[in-house]
């Protein structure tokens, strides 16, 4: 019985060619297939994509069907879905071709596992597969065939001297059809213990540490790597400790901490254990100090944060930093749609201009204030462009603009909001080279607020630019054109943002374009305020590498954009689950789970995310969904491109609310594994340290959990081929 859950990208060239031959016609052909496949939203092709397919007939070997199948493959369409479409078309010939191809497909059921062994031991690697009769196995060491290794099991003699790990992979073939297993590496270690001279006996019950961790001295921003390797029977398990307290989530032979700070300094050791024994590694000291930099010999910092000027008048920046905030889901006010799409679009464009971008959605007042405080830490003398974009509800009183957080009461005042002019004043104290504010909000008078805020006098710096989406005492609008439509301001702004123009000239062009929109004429018009005296543009280059070295700024930004590493979890029943991550915004993360291996006697298996921390903003109805579109994000077609097929998806919002708490090692219940993902993305900046309690959760939410979990259930899955060496993953035991 063939496996219909694999993606159509697994089809061989001969099968694709035969399908193209059958479907490249105007009757029951590729257009009808595209129409039926589009019944599911994520497989729907746009008019431009269909036109691209039809133009393939003009190419010498072009095929509209092949182009369509490629589009479906990019969206992780399965063979089962394709067969269903062909059956609804009534194309029996194409159904027979596809069915015959699936019967001939090869599926690897047991993957070889990486191992660390003592010198002189014998190692066994196993690869098992199902498929048509007459499967042929061939093992490779690197890119070379292992002579005579043509059975599912490969036995390796490690009597050779220890050295670099050797990588092994198995090819399973039947005729012209073949597939590869995952890579497995065998590391041969020379034991430091005299008792191991006779070699390691696989039947020995015990533990022996082969590689001890070593002390190290690092600077802030470096990567800490400590390693402890052991052998034993049963296989060893690991738990790292810092200052004799467990390090959360550190249960792998290698401990890796990216972008370290002085908080990670201390004494480290590793507890190695199995069912019967326990040993400890030696304790080593890790010293972490501040990174010291020297400025370039020809660099002269000017007063007031003036950027470096080249010989031909070219202005340079020491850095370019942007904070983008979009508030949509208000508790007591009208809900908005455009901020999510606007923030995402501007983030992508600003990154093309080498901006460090922090993008956040749906912040309460305390979170907005903490986000601004962290944003100010990214600014420094000579930082060329401190850019703040805000999309959401707002108002303007007595010449001061106010951004409204999502928790503002129905009759809010300035006490409930953030004053833009106060942010500008704080930015001036950082001596930035260019302060740009893009405010996509209403500027109507707030009749509930009659307080005149005492902001204080602003400095005369000749480097301030305000781009308002609308005029004073007017409203800003968003068009209702579907989930993925931008607001009016960003619709025109993104057309010009990448142009090499002085920022004020660029905004003038945006204003001219906005004036051509008939629907908002007389209602909304961009307003520009500026005292900029030099030709400064968002496209101006950053200072050459080696001269832009401000440790704290780079570290602060980088720590807010580190995703947890993908990992594999091994359950007692023999199932292996992959846990992966993708970022939608700095405070919104996608978690996907999929089964990558299961014993032959388990026909259905599913990996579900459970026990999500209660402080996070998660709609439980939108977790563990089979397609990205079901998690409730209009941006799913964007981030799902980097996710593998056959997954369950969950969207985790409000990472800025994640509080730090210490957890020890917990036992597992039934077939669950507790997984710590640390403090991902913006959660690393601890914006919750002064935040009031979050809004109430959905009544469907579960009781307060202690940790994140992945639970086994039911789902058909096929392991994906991995044709590159696999780094050993960490998992809780």
């Amino acid at each position: 019985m063939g496996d219909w859950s694999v993606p159509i990208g697994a089809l061989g060239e001969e099968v694709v060619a035969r399908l193209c031959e059958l479907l490249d016609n105007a009757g029951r052909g590729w257009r009808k297939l595209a129409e039926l496949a589009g019944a599911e939203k994520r497989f729907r092709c746009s008019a431009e994509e269909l036109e691209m397919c039809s133009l393939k007939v003009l190419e010498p070997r072009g095929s509209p069907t092949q182009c369509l199948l490629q589009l479906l493959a990019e969206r992780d369409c399965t063979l089962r879905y394709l067969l269903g479409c062909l059956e609804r078309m009534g194309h029996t010939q194409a159904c027979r071709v596809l069915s015959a191809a699936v019967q001939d497909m090869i599926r690897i059921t047991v993957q070889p596992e990486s191992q660390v062994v003592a010198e002189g031991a014998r190692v066994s690697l196993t690869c098992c597969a199902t498929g048509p009769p007459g499967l042929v196995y061939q093992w490779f060491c690197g890119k070379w065939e292992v002579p005579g290794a043509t059975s599912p099991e490969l036995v390796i003699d490690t009597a050779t001297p220890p050295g670099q790990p050797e990588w092994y992979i198995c090819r399973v073939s039947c005729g012209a059809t073949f597939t590869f297993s995952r890579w497995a590496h065998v590391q041969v270690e020379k034991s430091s213990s005299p008792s191991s001279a006779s070699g390691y006996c696989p039947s020995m019950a015990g533990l022996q540490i082969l590689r001890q961790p070593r002390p190290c001295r690092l600077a802030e921003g470096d990567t800490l790597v400590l390693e402890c390797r052991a052998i034993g029977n049963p296989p060893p398990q690991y738990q790292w400790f810092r200052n004799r307290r467990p390090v959360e989530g550190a249960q792998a032979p290698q401990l890796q901490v990216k972008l370290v700070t002085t908080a990670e300094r201390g004494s480290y050791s590793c507890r190695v254990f199995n069912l019967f024994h326990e040993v400890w590694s030696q304790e080593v000291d890790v010293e972490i100090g501040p990174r010291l930099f020297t400025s370039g010999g020809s660099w002269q910092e000017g007063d007031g944060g003036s950027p470096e000027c080249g010989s031909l008048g070219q202005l340079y920046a020491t850095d370019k930093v942007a904070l983008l905030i979009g508030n949509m889901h208000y508790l007591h006010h009208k809900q908005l749609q455009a901020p999510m799409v606007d923030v995402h679009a501007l983030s992508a464009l600003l990154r093309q201009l080498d901006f460090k971008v922090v993008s956040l959605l749906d912040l309460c007042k305390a979170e907005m204030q903490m986000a601004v405080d962290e944003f100010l830490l990214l600014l420094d003398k000579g930082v060329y462009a401190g850019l703040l974009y805000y999309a959401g509800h707002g108002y303007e009183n007595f010449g001061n603009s106010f951004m409204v957080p999502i928790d503002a009461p129905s009759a809010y005042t300035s006490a409930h909001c953030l004053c833009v002019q106060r942010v500008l004043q704080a930015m001036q104290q950082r001596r930035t080279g260019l302060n740009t504010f893009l405010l996509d909000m209403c500027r109507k008078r707030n009749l509930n607020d009659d307080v005149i805020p005492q902001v204080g006098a602003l400095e005369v710096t000749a480097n301030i630019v305000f781009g308002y989406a609308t005029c004073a005492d007017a409203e800003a609008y968003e068009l209702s054109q579907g989930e993925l439509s931008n607001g009016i301001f960003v619709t025109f702004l993104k057309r010009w943002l990448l142009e090499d123009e002085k920022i004020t000239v660029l905004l003038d062009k945006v204003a001219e374009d906005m004036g051509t929109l008939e629907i908002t004429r007389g209602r909304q018009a961009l307003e520009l305020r500026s005292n900029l005296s030099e030709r400064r543009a968002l496209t101006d280059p950053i200072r050459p590498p080696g001269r832009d070295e401000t440790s704290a700024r780079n570290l602060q930004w980088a720590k807010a954009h580190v995703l947890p590493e993908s990992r594999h979890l091994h359950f007692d029943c023999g199932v292996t689950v992959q846990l992966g991550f993708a970022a939608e915004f700095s405070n919104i993360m996608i978690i996907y789970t999929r089964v990558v291996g299961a014993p032959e006697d388990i026909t259905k298996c599913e990996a579900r995310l459970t026990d999500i921390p209660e402080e996070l903003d998660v709609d439980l109805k939108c977790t563990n969904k089979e397609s990205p579109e079901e998690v409730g994000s209009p941006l799913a077609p964007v981030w799902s491109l980097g996710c593998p097929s056959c997954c369950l998806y969950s969207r985790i919002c409000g990472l800025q609310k994640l509080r730090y708490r210490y957890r020890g090692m917990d036992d597992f219940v039934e077939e669950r594994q507790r997984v710590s993902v640390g403090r991902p993305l913006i959660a690393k900046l601890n914006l919750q340290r002064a935040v009031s309690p979050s809004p109430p959760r959905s009544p469907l939410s579960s009781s307060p959990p202690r940790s994140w979990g992945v639970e086994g259930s039911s789902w058909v899955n096929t392991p994906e081929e991995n044709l590159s060496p696999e780094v050993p993953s960490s998992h809780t035991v």
Side-chain angles (χ1 to χ4, degrees), residues 495-523:
R495 298 179 184 178
W496 295 98
L497 197 63
L498 299 181
E499 296 294 319
D500 186 16
E501 296 278 7
K502 183 180 178 181
I503 179 63
T504 52
V505 174
L506 183 149
L507 291 175
D508 276 334
K509 292 184 176 181
V510 175
E512 292 174 6
D513 272 6
M514 284 181 61
T516 64
L517 187 61
E518 189 69 31
I519 193 173
T520 58
R521 187 169 297 171
R523 298 182 179 182

Side-chain angles (χ1 to χ4, degrees), residues 99-122:
S99 299
V102 172
Q103 298 301 326
D104 292 339
M105 293 186 71
I106 302 171
R107 175 177 178 261
I108 293 183
T109 56
V110 177
Q111 298 279 2
E113 298 290 340
S114 299
Q115 300 183 41
V116 179
V117 297
E119 180 183 0
R122 294 172 68 85

Side-chain angles (χ1 to χ4, degrees), residues 148-469:
T150 56
S151 65
E153 185 178 29
L154 172 67
V155 178
I156 307 166
D157 185 358
T158 61
T160 56
Q164 292 297 319
E166 292 187 321
W167 294 89
Y168 292 87
I169 194 171
C170 184
R171 182 186 66 201
V172 186
S173 61
C174 181
T177 305
F178 64 90
T179 188
F180 281 93
S181 71
R182 288 200 301 256
W183 286 93
H185 71 135
V186 176
Q187 174 75 56
V188 181
E189 298 285 358
K190 189 176 184 66
S191 173
S192 56
S193 170
S195 61
S196 64
S198 60
Y200 168 70
C201 175
S203 62
M204 177 188 68
L207 283 177
Q208 189 176 46
I209 292 180
L210 301 176
R211 176 176 295 176
Q212 295 279 2
R214 297 181 180 180
C216 58
R217 177 176 296 177
L218 304 171
E220 286 186 310
D222 289 343
T223 298
L224 168 64
V225 179
L226 296 175
E227 190 171 17
C228 176
R229 296 282 180 177
I231 56 175
N233 189 10
Q237 302 169 25
Y238 301 84
Q239 172 63 53
W240 286 91
F241 286 74
R242 181 173 67 85
N243 297 332
R244 303 189 179 181
R245 299 185 66 181
V247 179
E248 190 176 2
Q251 287 98 19
Q254 187 180 81
L255 171 66
Q256 186 177 87
V257 182
K258 297 180 179 179
L259 303 168
V260 295
T261 64
T262 53
E264 274 83 29
R265 63 167 61 131
S267 297
Y268 286 78
S269 59
C270 185
R271 172 177 171 253
V272 185
F273 60 98
N274 60 18
L275 190 61
F276 306 108
H277 296 82
E278 173 185 285
V279 294
W280 286 79
S281 74
Q282 63 188 22
E283 195 170 57
V284 296
D285 292 328
V286 174
E287 299 180 14
I288 301 172
R291 185 180 294 278
L292 302 177
F293 296 105
T294 58
S295 57
S298 60
W299 167 248
Q300 299 293 330
E301 287 188 314
D303 294 335
S306 299
E308 183 180 7
C309 186
S311 58
L312 299 178
Q314 171 67 59
L315 296 173
Y316 292 89
T318 60
D319 210 345
K320 297 192 284 191
V321 178
L323 171 63
L324 280 58
I325 299 176
N327 284 343
M328 304 169 54
H329 300 107
Y330 283 86
L331 301 181
H332 308 291
H333 301 279
K334 179 184 176 182
Q335 307 286 297
L336 303 175
Q337 285 188 334
M340 171 190 287
V341 187
D342 290 344
V343 168
H344 188 271
L346 290 185
S347 297
L349 292 172
L350 290 172
R351 288 190 181 101
Q352 293 183 48
L353 298 176
D354 296 326
F355 271 80
K356 289 181 170 68
V357 179
V358 177
S359 57
L360 302 169
L361 290 187
D362 291 333
L363 303 183
C364 67
K365 184 195 174 184
E367 292 166 352
M368 289 181 70
Q369 184 60 63
M370 295 307 301
V372 169
D373 292 345
E374 296 294 336
F375 171 61
L376 294 174
L377 293 178
L378 296 174
L379 306 179
D380 205 350
K381 180 182 291 186
V383 170
Y384 194 36
L387 187 148
L388 173 63
Y389 170 80
Y390 170 74
H393 288 307
Y395 72 95
E396 186 172 302
N397 274 12
F398 309 106
N400 292 305
S401 302
F402 294 90
M403 301 178 288
V404 180
I406 63 169
D407 62 343
S410 54
Y412 55 78
T413 65
S414 59
H416 306 108
C417 305
L418 255 67
C419 178
V420 174
Q421 280 67 28
R422 292 190 190 277
V423 178
L424 171 59
Q425 192 175 49
M427 290 173 68
Q428 287 186 326
Q429 294 174 0
R430 305 294 293 182
R431 295 293 185 266
T432 49
L434 174 63
N435 297 316
T436 304
F437 292 83
L438 302 176
L439 302 177
D440 198 352
M441 66 184 198
C442 296
R443 298 174 66 195
K444 297 285 287 187
R445 175 97 162 82
N446 183 4
L447 300 179
N448 297 316
D449 187 8
D450 56 0
V451 177
I452 302 177
Q454 303 299 318
V455 178
L458 296 173
E459 298 181 26
V460 181
T461 54
N463 65 353
I464 302 172
V465 177
F466 275 90
Y468 294 95

